[in-house]
Amino acid sequence: MSQAANDLVQRVAAMLVEELTQGGRDLATLRLNDLEREVFGLADRVSLRVAESLLQAQADHLDKKMACPCCHGELVKKPPRKRKLLLRRGEAEWGEPVWRCPSCRRDFFPSGSGDGLCGGSGV
Amino acid sequence: MGCAVEAECSPAVEAKVVSASTRNRSYEEAGADLRDLAELEISAKRCARISQRIGRERLCEREARCVAFEGRPLPEQKRGVPADAPANGWEGRVAAVIVDGGRMQVRDERWGTPKEPGERRNWWREPKMACVTTFQSQEFAEDPLPEIPACLLDPLFVIPRVLEMKRTRAGTGSEERSQIPSGTTASAMPVSQPERWSPPPLVRSVVGTLGGYEDLGRLAEVEAWHRGFAAAPRKVFLGDGLAANWHTHRERFSQYTPVVDLMHAIAYVYTAAIESSSDMNDCWQRYCRWMPAVWRGEVSCVLAELEGLIAEAENPDRGEALRQCQGYLSNNASRMRYDAYRRQGLPITTALGESKIKQINRRMKGTEKFWREGGEPQLQLCCDQLSDTAPLEAFWNRRAERQRGFCKSRSST
């Protein structure tokens, strides 16, 4: 892990510990099972929230006017679709941009591309 | 993002589902493992759907790889080595292709249709498998193991193995004359430890199909080419005595030394010996005389003696059984020169292939398991998972790069 990533983990961990121990919580009677359930459950929810936010940020970043990867014709913007995807820490949900190519009569999802907008060759 | 537009799970989750569905005995077990170990709620049905979809994608890749191979000029197919082949030298290594078959039940279009009077339906089919592998070995000036290992003359070692092979061939349990000859058991306890008479394996890759032997030969040839086997000075093709194996050898692996699995040879020698007399001790004595000859590559000695026994046989069933053994041994005699193979440092058993088949059977075979279209994709995933070359890792990377941001259902029309 890089130093920057390590520092980030330390900051987030310290913040969470402070949140979890505030209000004079009695740690003496805390069982390991309960501790694991609480801490890792929280970590999972945080991970999922971070993943959702990044996926939304990526979708917003890719949501700009572009040409169709197939025919290079002009794409028409459609309303974003609600996307759900099961990740390793639970189901993430975000708004995915959708464009339509009138010539190909197909919807194009920029964030579904393998390497940017026109990856691969297997259409 | 590198994720299919219509995907329900991320590629990392799909990889977990495929792994659990392939390593466990059933999709139900896979779902339970994912819930307990990975804390993912994925139903058995969904596991099956995801795994078989990935399996079908692997089958498409496999076919494309075969077509690309067949598009190459013949000299390159036979003698060429691809640029991405492993860079190892062949000093102290042997290239081997081991073929074998398993069992699984596959329902076809007859399923659900009314039976004809007296019709019996059997869904058991043979998935064929080839283990494309390297062995670490050296050549010798003389046979390094001229004396037959003691375990091969130990009834407690030989008889259970022979009976297991017969049961596997018959597909069900069958009653056999399996009593241990008297006077041999007391001294033979405990069971002799087998000595290593085949070189140790190095890197194994597995290909398999529910198609015919021709399909298996094609897959094995392409895999061997990608592994750079053409450059190996010592190459061996191992199988049991099945004629289809040796047809594949002639058609696709003619530069490989053909070797019949020693354990199959033992099974036929043992059966011939058992059928040669009604006295079990006589039978065992005969086996103990014949087997060292086969070990030395002198099958002709056994054949000569068998000829006389067939002529003398009074019981027609016994005569037929002896004739079958004689047929097997004489048809395969040229592939049973075990002394020469040991000198060349070649493996002489298909134990490695048998082991892979057992692992495949664990997933695919069961009296309660009936496969349909999903059989071949799941078999492909089993083979991938058993390969040391980790073909699935490369597949996930290629798959991510292939995503183009269109729905598959529309793009395929």
Side-chain angles (χ1 to χ4, degrees):
Chain A
M1 197 188 288
S2 69
Q3 188 56 46
N6 206 24
D7 290 347
L8 176 67
V9 170
Q10 295 291 348
R11 277 201 312 275
V12 172
M15 194 176 74
L16 289 176
V17 168
E18 198 180 319
E19 284 287 326
L20 290 171
T21 53
Q22 72 180 357
R25 185 176 179 182
D26 181 15
L27 292 175
T29 56
L30 186 61
R31 290 183 177 184
L32 187 58
N33 264 355
D34 298 332
L35 182 144
E36 277 204 69
R37 192 176 309 119
E38 184 176 358
V39 170
F40 292 116
L42 186 65
D44 284 355
R45 287 200 299 281
V46 169
S47 309
L48 192 61
R49 187 76 197 96
V50 171
E52 270 181 344
S53 301
L54 283 177
L55 284 165
Q56 188 61 64
Q58 185 195 41
D60 294 343
H61 175 72
L62 293 168
D63 193 12
K64 50 193 167 196
K65 203 162 181 65
M66 65 193 75
C68 171
C70 274
C71 68
H72 305 291
E74 197 172 320
L75 292 172
V76 180
K77 188 167 172 54
K78 285 180 73 176
R81 74 162 177 170
K82 192 158 50 163
R83 180 80 193 268
K84 282 184 179 176
L85 198 65
L86 181 64
L87 309 183
R88 285 163 56 180
R89 293 289 176 266
E91 195 168 60
E93 191 178 324
W94 73 101
E96 187 177 44
V98 187
W99 293 76
R100 183 158 183 85
C101 176
S103 326
C104 301
R105 296 200 295 171
R106 296 165 74 189
D107 287 344
F108 174 62
F109 302 82
S111 55
S113 308
D115 52 354
L117 296 181
C118 45
S121 58
V123 175
Chain B
M1 193 165 73
C3 178
V5 170
E6 61 279 350
E8 299 166 351
C9 306
S10 70
V13 172
E14 284 182 319
K16 284 185 193 300
V17 171
V18 166
S19 175
S21 300
T22 309
R23 288 175 203 274
N24 280 291
R25 284 174 184 272
S26 66
Y27 295 119
E28 279 77 13
E29 283 184 20
D33 259 11
L34 287 167
R35 187 184 59 241
D36 294 347
L37 305 177
E39 295 173 30
L40 288 168
E41 279 296 337
I42 301 176
S43 68
K45 262 241 156 19
R46 206 170 169 194
C47 285
R49 213 170 47 235
I50 292 170
S51 297
Q52 292 178 12
R53 188 177 62 230
I54 299 298
R56 282 193 297 275
E57 287 183 34
R58 281 290 295 133
L59 291 180
C60 290
E61 280 196 351
R62 183 178 91 175
E63 182 57 26
R65 198 184 191 215
C66 289
V67 169
F69 171 76
E70 285 157 358
R72 294 176 184 279
L74 202 56
E76 200 184 329
Q77 286 182 20
K78 294 295 172 195
R79 290 187 291 277
V81 175
D84 59 348
N88 61 276
W90 285 98
E91 181 71 30
R93 284 171 190 243
V94 169
V97 174
I98 302 170
V99 289
D100 203 354
R103 300 294 275 173
M104 61 190 269
Q105 295 192 91
V106 183
R107 281 177 175 155
D108 55 28
E109 63 287 345
R110 293 173 301 154
W111 172 246
T113 59
K115 280 187 185 177
E116 298 291 323
E119 183 190 357
R120 288 192 67 192
R121 288 181 180 171
N122 181 357
W123 307 109
W124 288 107
R125 300 287 176 271
E126 185 188 31
K128 287 123 196 127
M129 185 274 319
C131 193
V132 179
T133 180
T134 46
F135 285 90
Q136 185 178 33
S137 90
Q138 51 173 321
E139 288 183 85
F140 301 91
E142 291 186 353
D143 183 355
L145 210 58
E147 291 302 318
I148 185 166
C151 63
L152 295 184
L153 299 177
D154 182 343
L156 295 181
F157 180 88
V158 173
I159 295 174
R161 278 158 184 80
V162 171
L163 294 182
E164 190 192 335
M165 287 165 78
K166 286 187 176 184
R167 271 198 306 275
T168 310
R169 267 209 303 276
T172 54
S174 57
E175 284 188 22
E176 295 287 340
R177 296 172 65 199
S178 59
Q179 64 268 46
I180 308 293
S182 62
T184 57
T185 50
S187 62
M189 295 291 279
V191 178
S192 316
Q193 287 299 307
E195 294 151 52
R196 183 175 268 284
W197 58 73
S198 271
L202 292 170
V203 181
R204 294 152 281 205
S205 45
V206 182
V207 292
T209 178
L210 274 166
Y213 278 92
E214 181 55 33
D215 300 320
L216 180 72
R218 181 176 181 239
L219 295 177
E221 187 178 18
V222 173
E223 181 62 25
W225 185 79
H226 277 278
R227 295 276 304 272
F229 277 18
R234 287 180 295 154
K235 298 188 273 277
V236 60
F237 184 92
L238 279 142
D240 57 27
L242 193 71
N245 287 341
W246 306 111
H247 178 78
T248 303
H249 171 258
R250 276 194 305 278
E251 294 293 313
R252 296 184 181 270
F253 296 97
S254 56
Q255 293 152 328
Y256 289 55
T257 306
V259 177
V260 162
D261 172 41
L262 177 76
M263 295 310 289
H264 279 82
I266 289 174
Y268 277 90
V269 170
Y270 173 80
T271 307
I274 289 295
E275 297 294 345
S276 66
S277 166
S278 50
D279 181 342
M280 193 61 194
N281 286 322
D282 277 357
C283 296
W284 186 252
Q285 292 307 319
R286 190 164 277 133
Y287 168 82
C288 291
R289 208 170 58 247
W290 283 350
M291 203 49 228
V294 172
W295 178 262
R296 291 191 304 269
E298 296 164 6
V299 184
S300 53
C301 304
V302 181
L303 287 170
E305 210 172 320
L306 261 176
E307 197 73 50
L309 288 168
I310 291 170
E312 290 166 14
E314 289 167 3
N315 181 332
D317 289 346
R318 191 163 281 180
E320 181 52 33
L322 287 172
R323 249 188 299 279
Q324 275 184 12
C325 295
Q326 186 205 32
Y328 183 92
L329 294 174
S330 61
N331 288 343
N332 292 299
S334 62
R335 299 185 276 263
M336 292 183 178
R337 293 169 15 239
Y338 296 116
D339 56 330
Y341 306 144
R342 286 192 297 273
R343 261 201 322 276
Q344 293 166 47
L346 305 181
I348 55 175
T349 72
T350 56
L352 194 63
E354 308 277 350
S355 152
K356 296 292 174 196
I357 274 291
K358 278 195 175 172
Q359 291 174 73
I360 289 174
N361 280 347
R362 185 177 175 274
R363 177 65 187 94
M364 307 300 293
K365 182 183 173 184
T367 50
E368 78 291 3
K369 288 179 187 167
F370 295 92
W371 296 92
R372 297 197 77 166
E373 293 82 10
E376 184 83 16
Q378 187 59 59
L379 178 63
Q380 175 62 38
L381 294 177
C382 287
C383 293
D384 286 345
Q385 188 241 317
L386 289 173
S387 297
D388 295 336
T389 45
L392 274 178
E393 267 178 42
F395 163 77
W396 292 116
N397 290 331
R398 284 193 302 271
R399 187 169 184 264
E401 284 170 14
R402 271 202 301 268
Q403 304 303 328
R404 296 207 58 196
F406 291 103
C407 283
K408 201 163 264 176
S409 52
R410 296 297 307 271
S411 62
S412 60
T413 53

